[in-house]
Amino acid sequence: EVQLVESGGDLVQPGRSLRLSCAASGFTFDNYAMHWVRQTPGKGLEWVSGISWNSGNIGYADSVKGRFTISRDNAKNSLYLQMSSLRAEDTALYYCVKGTGPGLFNCFDSWGQGTLVTVSS
Amino acid sequence: DIQMTQSPSSLSASVGDRVTITCQASQDISKYLNWYQQKPGKAPKLLMYDASNLETGVPSRFSGSGSGTDFTFTISSLQPEDTATYYCQQYDNLPFTFGPGTKVEIK
């Protein structure tokens, strides 16, 4: 059974940094692309970033480009999101999401339960 | 960025009713359109991929069609457990984008 467990969400002040982690199990991690998707009550679902199986192809939403960095450690079956220069509008529930193939351009077939990031002074 | 729109934003129907949701992309996305179901307090779940393919384990009362810019998602006979919000999502171009969602309730 696929399991994705996010951690690292917290209450942080604007301008600060935060690192999210996702521990994956139940599948061959280095065969699949991984993504971060966030959700806010007001803006629905927003794809944040994705990374291919070997980190060779990476994409970001315009709203986070230059501030967030996605990475993965296939030896540790882990996905990360380094978030810097955080803004109030980054407040959301962040989901770790598994792709259905090794490249970015696939569906999202497994989702974690999310980790909450709140940016507020 | 490709903008995704959905209609209606919400609907209320009776058990057994046929329910249809439409999704429109701001540019041609071929068949690269997925549908997700999200129940309150839960993560989204993939129902349909590539516009018309049913994900393994998903009941056959769910179906999808369309290509290019116009897509349709149908529940042939609405069940109480189908109460949820449904989202379309394109993966033809980065950044991937979701529709705003359609909330489906039982009358």
Side-chain angles (χ1 to χ4, degrees), chain B residues 2-95:
Chain B
I2 297 175
Q3 307 303 315
M4 307 299 293
T5 57
Q6 285 182 238
S7 63
S9 57
S10 65
L11 66 90
S12 180
S14 300
V15 172
D17 281 355
R18 183 180 184 88
V19 167
T20 298
I21 300 168
T22 62
C23 175
Q24 188 168 58
S26 60
Q27 65 187 69
D28 190 336
I29 59 169
S30 185
K31 65 175 183 177
Y32 302 114
L33 189 283
N34 305 316
W35 291 95
Y36 299 87
Q37 175 193 63
Q38 187 177 32
K39 296 184 178 181
K42 300 293 187 182
K45 174 187 175 183
L46 177 66
L47 295 185
M48 309 282 311
Y49 63 94
D50 292 348
S52 61
N53 293 287
L54 199 64
E55 175 71 346
T56 302
V58 174
S60 59
R61 64 180 179 274
F62 296 101
S63 64
S65 64
S67 67
T69 60
D70 295 298
F71 301 86
T72 300
F73 175 79
T74 299
I75 307 173
S76 61
S77 177
L78 188 66
Q79 300 301 303
E81 59 267 31
D82 300 336
T83 298
T85 300
Y86 294 84
Y87 296 92
C88 62
Q89 176 246 332
Q90 67 82 19
Y91 69 104
D92 183 60
N93 274 13
L94 289 176

